[in-house]
Amino acid sequence: MAGTNKPTTIKEIARKLKISPSTVSRALNDHPSIGLVTTMRVKQMAEEMAYEPNQTAIFFKQRKTFTIGVILPKLSEPFFSEAISMVESVAEDKKYTVLLGQSLDDAGRELNIIQTFKKHRVDGILMSMSKNTKDTDFLEMLTKTDIPIVFFDCVPDLPDVNKVFCDLSSGMTEAIAAFVERGHRKIAMINGPEALLASKERAAAFRNALVLQGISEQESFIVNTDLTEAGNEQAMEQICNLADRPSAVVSFNDFVTLDLIHYAKQRGIVLNQDMYFISYANYPLWKYMDNPPMGSIEQYPEKQAQKAAEILFDLIDKKEEKPQQVVFPSKLVLK
């Protein structure tokens, strides 16, 4: 039992259980990243040591809750799982707890998460926007409550916000050059939804890269998908049915490419013989394929997340006031 004169601390519980203080903190707050067994062990030890959290006192003393909120489209995507691992690492160094919400690319769900974080008085928010978010009125709400927000990866097309993202044009330029070096002149693009900022950026980069290689754009070679499996297959069907079928395709991301390859195989198209693919993201899944696509464009999830988290903590600590925009160049990785 802990002594009555000195309250038990999270560090003492962590030391007893030989785990990190941040794990203890998350377990005590029923954080979903902590397993049930660990949570039960922590709570049992806290009870045995008569631990009593005093969050109210901490908040009133320092005007902080020592929590940040992170909103991601889908944690199941390798890009975002790598990103959140880096965010948690930076947060742990700052003695902060991370609250996580998944928008699942639903704008309404995303707004509910933001409002929940606001009610919990998080000290700041990191966010990669839903692909379907068009309304950013929530920024005014967060400004009024003095909650800073930093966007990364999928960011709004606004000048006065803090954001970290990848320049998609550098990787696209390298991708088209790599195709041309291997003799391809009929190059198509299967892009995301037309209204999506990331799709617009990819389309502009694709057109510019073609110009650099002296290739005339063919309107029928640019097809959009809604990013669903059915939409991806429909887009690929459009490409395959062209009389002058392209021999190379740049696609929106690696998950889209998986669907495209699956459909192409059903049509009897041989990968890296009849048709070659390059896509965005450079997910680790390709190393498990015997015959992977020609390449993928790296977007550096860990670098983006680390920089975004650093900017957020500078804002929380009032070390930075002017909006920052940090851009990393994307890079083609051949398989």
Side-chain angles (χ1 to χ4, degrees), residues 66-111:
F66 296 95
T67 59
I68 61 168
V70 180
I71 306 173
L72 304 173
K74 285 183 182 178
L75 190 56
S76 60
E77 291 190 19
F79 182 98
F80 294 116
S81 60
E82 288 181 43
I84 192 61
S85 295
M86 177 54 72
V87 169
E88 289 196 314
S89 177
V90 175
E92 187 171 359
D93 288 343
K94 295 283 186 178
K95 312 300 180 190
Y96 265 72
T97 297
V98 175
L99 303 180
L100 177 63
Q102 294 185 85
S103 69
L104 304 178
D105 282 323
D106 183 309
R109 181 185 174 104
E110 185 176 73
L111 182 59

Side-chain angles (χ1 to χ4, degrees), residues 279-299:
S279 53
Y280 277 91
N282 194 31
Y283 294 151
L285 53 89
W286 298 126
K287 67 183 179 183
Y288 300 109
M289 289 185 66
D290 293 331
N291 191 19
M294 185 175 133
S296 189
I297 299 169
E298 177 63 65
Q299 292 178 259

Side-chain angles (χ1 to χ4, degrees), residues 175-195:
I176 301 303
F179 277 146
V180 172
E181 285 171 10
R182 288 157 179 79
H184 299 283
R185 303 289 294 181
K186 298 176 185 176
I187 305 170
M189 180 180 192
I190 294 182
N191 204 359
E194 284 189 77

Side-chain angles (χ1 to χ4, degrees), residues 152 178 252:
F152 74 98
F252 185 81

Side-chain angles (χ1 to χ4, degrees), residues 54 82 87 165 167 169 254 274:
N54 195 2
E82 288 181 43
V87 169
F165 58 97
D167 171 18
S169 63
D254 289 340
D274 300 328

Side-chain angles (χ1 to χ4, degrees), residues 7-220:
T8 301
T9 67
I10 282 177
K11 285 185 178 179
E12 288 168 345
I13 297 173
R15 201 177 298 120
K16 281 269 190 182
L17 294 173
K18 295 183 176 164
I19 57 178
S20 71
S22 63
T23 299
V24 172
S25 176
R26 292 190 191 104
L28 290 172
N29 287 284
D30 294 311
H31 195 281
S33 68
I34 306 301
L36 179 61
V37 174
T38 300
T39 298
M40 291 175 64
R41 286 179 60 222
V42 168
K43 289 187 174 181
Q44 183 178 352
M45 182 61 70
E47 186 176 348
E48 290 174 5
M49 297 178 72
Y51 171 75
E52 290 184 11
N54 195 2
Q55 295 296 333
T56 304
I58 293 172
F59 173 74
F60 280 109
K61 183 179 179 181
Q62 301 194 30
R63 304 303 299 172
K64 291 181 180 179
T65 59
F66 296 95
T67 59
I68 61 168
V70 180
I71 306 173
L72 304 173
K74 285 183 182 178
L75 190 56
S76 60
E77 291 190 19
F79 182 98
F80 294 116
S81 60
E82 288 181 43
I84 192 61
S85 295
M86 177 54 72
V87 169
E88 289 196 314
S89 177
V90 175
E92 187 171 359
D93 288 343
K94 295 283 186 178
K95 312 300 180 190
Y96 265 72
T97 297
V98 175
L99 303 180
L100 177 63
Q102 294 185 85
S103 69
L104 304 178
D105 282 323
D106 183 309
R109 181 185 174 104
E110 185 176 73
L111 182 59
N112 288 338
I113 296 169
I114 292 171
Q115 290 171 335
T116 299
F117 284 166
K118 175 178 167 285
K119 288 176 186 175
H120 280 78
R121 306 292 292 271
V122 295
D123 294 333
I125 294 174
L126 286 174
M127 179 173 171
S128 183
M129 288 175 60
S130 154
K131 294 180 177 68
N132 300 309
T133 297
K134 297 173 184 175
D135 187 353
T136 55
D137 288 350
F138 59 83
L139 289 171
E140 186 178 351
M141 173 185 72
L142 294 175
T143 300
K144 286 180 179 177
T145 50
D146 199 27
I147 298 176
I149 183 168
V150 179
F151 297 93
F152 74 98
D153 184 50
C154 195
V155 303
D157 190 13
L158 298 171
D160 298 324
V161 298
N162 289 282
K163 51 187 175 181
V164 179
F165 58 97
C166 245
D167 171 18
L168 304 180
S169 63
S170 53
M172 179 69 80
T173 300
E174 292 177 356
I176 301 303
F179 277 146
V180 172
E181 285 171 10
R182 288 157 179 79
H184 299 283
R185 303 289 294 181
K186 298 176 185 176
I187 305 170
M189 180 180 192
I190 294 182
N191 204 359
E194 284 189 77
L196 187 64
L197 176 61
S199 299
K200 293 176 182 176
E201 291 172 345
R202 282 165 169 78
F206 177 70
R207 291 186 172 100
N208 290 336
L210 290 180
V211 170
L212 288 173
Q213 296 296 330
I215 299 175
S216 298
E217 177 191 333
Q218 293 190 47
E219 191 176 335
S220 61

